[in-house]
Amino acid sequence: MELLPLFGAEPVHERVVTDRNRITAGGVTAGIDFGLTIAAAVAGTEVAEEIQLYIEYDPLPPFRSGHPSVARPALVERVRADLHKRLAERRKQIERLMK
């Protein structure tokens, strides 16, 4: 999320985002949501619902920690601290490539 503005993208807190002729998704299971969104756009909601039933996609994660807005604050702090160094290096790489 922090690096998206470097590419001219406006970060939003959605699993699947449709922007004009582009559809994007973030996260592992969001990829399934992405596919179902495409299926609905191309073939209709009924077909997308059939696909969802065929694959028995009914997510129920074992923990409530899949997003900073719901995870324990101490856990979020630890993960963000760990990612801070990685993001700083990625930011440098992106900035070099964007020149």
Side-chain angles (χ1 to χ4, degrees), residues 1 5-6 16 18-20 27 30 46 56 58-59 61 66-67 69 71 81 89-90 93 96 99:
M1 293 291 280
L6 296 174
V16 178
T18 302
D19 181 15
R20 297 178 310 262
E46 188 76 20
E56 295 186 20
D58 189 25
H67 189 272
S69 66
E89 182 57 36
R90 286 183 186 155
Q93 292 169 342
R96 277 195 310 267
K99 290 182 182 181

Side-chain angles (χ1 to χ4, degrees), residues 22-51:
R22 296 172 191 88
I23 303 174
T24 59
V28 175
T29 58
I32 296 171
D33 297 351
F34 173 82
L36 293 170
T37 299
I38 296 288
V42 172
T45 302
E46 188 76 20
V47 170
E49 289 176 341
E50 289 174 5
I51 293 168

Side-chain angles (χ1 to χ4, degrees), residues 2-81:
E2 291 178 30
L3 301 176
L4 287 174
L6 296 174
F7 298 100
E10 181 182 327
V12 296
H13 295 283
E14 302 292 332
R15 289 173 61 81
V16 178
V17 176
T18 302
D19 181 15
R20 297 178 310 262
N21 64 346
R22 296 172 191 88
I23 303 174
T24 59
V28 175
T29 58
I32 296 171
D33 297 351
F34 173 82
L36 293 170
T37 299
I38 296 288
V42 172
T45 302
E46 188 76 20
V47 170
E49 289 176 341
E50 289 174 5
I51 293 168
Q52 183 174 349
L53 182 55
Y54 273 117
I55 65 173
E56 295 186 20
Y57 177 56
D58 189 25
L60 183 59
F63 307 102
R64 189 88 174 116
S65 61
H67 189 272
S69 66
V70 297
R72 291 178 287 112
L75 178 61
V76 172
E77 203 172 301
R78 272 197 323 270
V79 169
R80 283 189 173 153

